[in-house]
């Protein structure tokens, strides 16, 4: 799923280094006629207006009535998204003359079969939301998510699902993590509905780059590449990342892997069992920071091959595609993945120590400057993902904490504590491998089981450390991180010359509006509200493009009067400018670390035993 810094959605399951035959969740029981597939044909006669036409053939097996279902959410993205709202024109075409489908729930349709052995249904799906969890269809290409596209049988999730794409002229090919059907181009075979949902399909004029690792093919599929992306350079760096992940885990648990890279001026990534969808800007390779951010995203989503897609919380399987599925453990599933995503790019030799420390410092600062860290434990943040993580509002930073961010910081602190406790003989790497060995695949882990693995590797004293970090809002202790690796937090930056209120602003039609008011800040104390329009400070107007410069005229402790408009009513608000908190979380190496600290840091950043 998605880390907030890069709009990771992060958000999404096999024994160690096994095959793709197992699904992401626990297996569903076999049903009669499971070998008789559901067949879909996708056509794009109206792609320019963002439609895909679907023809679906369902086995009836003598039943007089079938019930079709569309998923309301997709694994890895914890929000009910109501995909059925984009479906229209559902009709039965075989047997001819049959009764029209009847809507029985928001995402279900009932069909009378008339005794036919198979029933063919047509419908259209509108797709124009550029995200990693939704459909996008246009004249040049299409990205299709299984949950957002396919109506399946309510009692047929274990059946094979076959998909054939009838591509428009100029669309060269289709790609997916699904196995390809034999003999027919652009045809794919899913063993069951879980696999279909977990395997996005992209079609169009695709630029495909390939490498083989340990006999396994890997593909980088660039969509909308244009002339701004260097595919050859990107595939070389992706291969180095894959090699580093393989080295850590000890193998590759799939038959092929597809990186679908949508170069569409959007952001985010979503993991799948043997593929991922990434979104980025056509200019991302133009600067070192933006390209490194893309590589960190690649690494994050690829780490999910093991962590989430195979090593998963027990609560996440089997998937209930019509209802929320709750887990308190996303701090590990997403937070630990965020930690290793960046770390393995460093271990692959792509990022420097300074670049890695810069990103890690930013994560720590993001946590420590979010007021919600003192309100919401990270396990509660995980459980509430369905109602809070993907529905943020202006008050969210005051009341919530991201399980991505806090989970990442907990991971780096646990790693340091384990290395200290074991004399650098064990690390969080060992925790992840042991958990994978015991709980990957159909079993899943409970919250208690994963915590037990941590204490088994790192020592019983971590029991209380975990409880404080995960179940309470007590401050985290950073000293083990500094002591293990010979690091220090650099002195805080001095911001004494500039006033600060603790708000963020936005410009709307030339108006300067308050976008957010942080808790325990001068703005909150003065009574500023979100959506207040700031018109003047004292007797002088503030134009929207001058706000930051004007703050320089009001140093900390200065009192002033703001003229604001609140729902068109003018009012004066007395404020006293404060001093913006300096960045006290910049990690830097100590001048003279001990030999043990130097060795531990080298093992941490280099991934050596």
């Amino acid at each position: 799923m998605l880390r907030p810094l890069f709009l990771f959605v992060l958000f999404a399951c096999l024994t160690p280094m096994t095959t793709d035959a197992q699904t992401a969740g626990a297996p569903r029981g076999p049903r009669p006629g499971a070998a008789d597939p559901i067949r879909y044909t996708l056509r794009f006669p109206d792609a320019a207006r963002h439609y895909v036409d679907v023809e679906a053939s369902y086995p009836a097996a003598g039943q007089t009535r079938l019930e079709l279902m569309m998923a309301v959410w997709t694994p890895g993205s914890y929000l009910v998204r109501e995909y059925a709202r984009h479906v229209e024109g559902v009709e039965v075409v075989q047997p001819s003359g049959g009764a029209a489908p009847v809507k029985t729930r928001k995402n279900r349709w009932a069909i009378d079969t008339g005794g036919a052995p198979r029933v063919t249904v047509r419908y259209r799906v509108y797709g124009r939301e550029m995200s990693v969890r939704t459909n996008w269809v246009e004249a040049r290409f299409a990205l299709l998510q299984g949950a957002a596209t396919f109506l399946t049988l309510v009692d047929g999730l274990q059946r094979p699902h076959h998909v054939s794409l009838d591509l428009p002229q100029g669309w060269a090919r289709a790609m997916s993590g699904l196995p390809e059907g034999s003999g027919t181009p652009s045809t794919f075979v899913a063993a069951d509905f879980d696999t279909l949902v977990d395997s996005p399909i992209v079609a169009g004029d695709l630029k495909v780059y390939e490498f083989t690792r340990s006999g396994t093919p890997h593909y980088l599929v660039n969509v909308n590449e244009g002339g701004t992306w260097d595919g050859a350079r990107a595939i070389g760096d992706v291969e180095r990342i894959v090699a580093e992940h393989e080295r850590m885990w000890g193998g590759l648990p799939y038959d092929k892997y597809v990186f679908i890279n949508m170069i569409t001026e959007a952001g985010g990534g979503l993991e799948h069992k043997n593929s991922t969808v990434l979104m980025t800007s056509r200019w991302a390779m133009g600067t070192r920071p933006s390209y490194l951010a893309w590589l960190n995203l690649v690494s994050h989503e690829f780490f999910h091959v093991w962590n989430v897609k195979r090593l998963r919380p027990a609560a996440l399987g089997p998937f209930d595609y019509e209802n929320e599925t709750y887990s308190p453990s996303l701090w590990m599933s997403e937070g630990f993945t965020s930690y290793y995503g960046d770390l393995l790019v460093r271990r692959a030799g792509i990022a420097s120590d300074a670049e890695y420390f810069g990103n890690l410092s930013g994560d720590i600062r993001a946590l420590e400057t979010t007021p919600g860290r003192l309100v919401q434990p990270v396990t509660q943040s995980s459980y509430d993902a369905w109602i809070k993580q993907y529905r943020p509002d202006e008050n969210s930073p005051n009341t919530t904490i991201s399980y991505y961010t806090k989970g990442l910081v907990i991971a780096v602190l646990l790693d340091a504590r384990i290395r200290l406790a074991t004399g650098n003989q064990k690390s969080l790497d060992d925790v992840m491998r042991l958990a994978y060995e015991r709980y990957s695949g159909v079993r899943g882990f409970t919250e208690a089981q994963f915590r037990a693995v941590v204490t088994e590797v790192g020592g019983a004293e971590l029991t209380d450390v975990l409880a404080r970090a995960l179940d309470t809002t007590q401050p985290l202790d950073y000293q083990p991180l500094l002591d293990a690796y010979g690091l220090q937090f650099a002195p805080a930056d001095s911001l004494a010359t500039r006033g600060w209120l603790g708000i963020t602003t936005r410009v709307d039609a030339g108006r300067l509006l308050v976008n957010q008011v942080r808790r325990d800040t001068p703005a909150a104390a003065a009574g500023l509200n979100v959506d207040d329009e700031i018109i003047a400070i004292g007797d002088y107007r503030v134009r929207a493009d001058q706000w930051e410069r004007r703050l320089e005229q009001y140093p900390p402790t200065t009192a002033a009067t703001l003229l604001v408009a609140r729902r068109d009513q003018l009012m004066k608000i007395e404020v006293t400018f404060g001093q913006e908190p300096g960045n006290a979380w910049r990690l830097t190496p100590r001048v003279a670390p001990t030999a043990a600290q130097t060795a531990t840091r080298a093992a941490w950043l280099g991934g050596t035993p």
Side-chain angles (χ1 to χ4, degrees), residues 27-326:
R28 307 170 196 272
R31 293 182 173 85
D36 197 0
I38 299 171
R39 301 182 184 277
Y40 304 94
T41 301
L42 308 182
R43 300 182 177 91
F44 303 87
D46 207 10
R49 280 166 288 280
H50 317 294
Y51 279 96
V52 55
D53 288 6
V54 183
E55 182 173 289
S57 175
Y58 303 97
Q63 300 177 74
T64 60
R65 178 184 171 95
L66 297 179
E67 191 165 20
L68 307 182
M69 178 270 289
M70 175 170 256
V72 304
W73 67 286
T74 194
S77 181
Y78 305 102
L79 180 68
V80 172
R81 300 191 180 272
E82 310 294 15
Y83 292 120
R85 64 196 172 97
H86 292 308
V87 173
E88 61 184 76
V90 182
E91 61 175 345
V92 177
V93 294
Q94 291 290 339
S96 60
V102 176
K103 198 80 176 287
T104 58
R105 288 172 56 173
K106 64 180 181 179
N107 64 317
R108 288 192 181 193
W109 294 258
I111 296 174
D112 292 330
T113 69
R118 294 190 74 89
V119 173
T120 302
V121 173
R122 289 177 183 161
Y123 59 93
R124 309 183 82 200
V125 180
Y126 181 74
R128 195 185 177 279
E129 183 179 351
M130 187 65 78
S131 81
V132 297
R133 57 196 171 266
T134 51
N135 287 345
W136 182 275
V137 181
E138 65 168 68
R140 296 177 300 160
F141 59 83
L143 172 67
L144 301 176
Q145 309 290 346
T149 305
F150 300 109
L151 305 186
T152 190
L153 292 170
V154 170
D155 63 351
L157 301 186
Q158 281 300 103
R159 292 181 182 274
H161 291 61
H162 296 184
V163 181
S164 178
L165 287 83
D166 185 0
L167 299 183
Q169 185 175 4
W171 290 26
R173 64 191 298 185
M175 293 287 290
S176 175
L178 289 169
E180 297 181 3
S182 59
T184 306
S186 303
T187 299
F188 303 98
V189 177
D192 48 41
F193 188 68
D194 286 324
T195 304
L196 183 68
V197 168
D198 205 21
S199 305
I201 300 170
V202 65
D205 184 14
L206 313 177
K207 301 297 182 184
V208 181
Y209 304 85
E210 181 180 357
F211 67 87
T212 299
R213 181 77 191 175
S214 298
T216 302
H218 296 72
Y219 304 91
L220 173 63
V221 181
N222 280 348
V223 181
N224 202 33
E225 184 178 85
T228 59
W229 258 78
D230 185 344
R233 175 188 174 193
I235 192 66
D237 288 332
V238 170
E239 183 173 7
R240 294 169 69 183
I241 290 170
V242 169
E244 190 58 40
H245 285 250
E246 180 188 21
R247 183 168 76 92
M248 175 185 157
W249 289 103
L252 300 174
Y254 47 76
D255 297 325
K256 73 171 180 178
Y257 194 89
V258 181
F259 297 90
I260 300 173
N261 187 36
M262 307 292 296
I263 308 170
T264 53
E265 304 311 309
L270 186 60
E271 72 275 4
H272 299 281
K273 185 172 62 174
N274 68 332
S275 64
T276 183
V277 177
L278 313 164
M279 289 192 172
T280 187
S281 167
R282 62 176 50 87
W283 313 112
M285 295 189 78
T287 68
R288 173 69 178 176
S290 60
Y291 181 53
L292 186 60
W294 181 79
L295 292 173
N296 286 337
L297 174 62
V298 168
S299 184
H300 175 108
E301 301 306 334
F302 189 63
F303 195 81
H304 277 312
V305 165
W306 295 267
N307 190 31
V308 169
K309 301 315 298 181
R310 289 160 176 85
L311 173 62
R312 60 171 179 81
L316 295 186
F319 290 120
D320 181 348
Y321 292 105
E322 296 183 279
N323 297 285
E324 297 91 334
T325 304
Y326 300 98

Side-chain angles (χ1 to χ4, degrees), residues 421-478:
T422 64
N424 201 28
Q425 296 304 302
K426 297 288 184 180
S427 71
L428 194 62
D429 298 8
D430 297 286
V431 171
M432 300 304 293
R433 287 189 287 258
L434 181 57
Y436 190 91
E437 178 183 343
R438 289 183 180 171
Y439 301 116
S440 63
V442 299
R443 288 162 290 184
F445 62 85
T446 66
E447 178 85 358
Q449 286 172 329
F450 187 80
R451 295 191 195 197
V453 173
V454 174
T455 57
E456 180 178 342
V457 173
E461 63 274 11
L462 291 181
T463 300
D464 291 338
V465 172
L466 283 170
R468 289 195 302 273
L470 300 174
D471 303 326
T472 79
T473 58
Q474 296 179 33
L476 299 179
D477 180 8
Y478 292 97

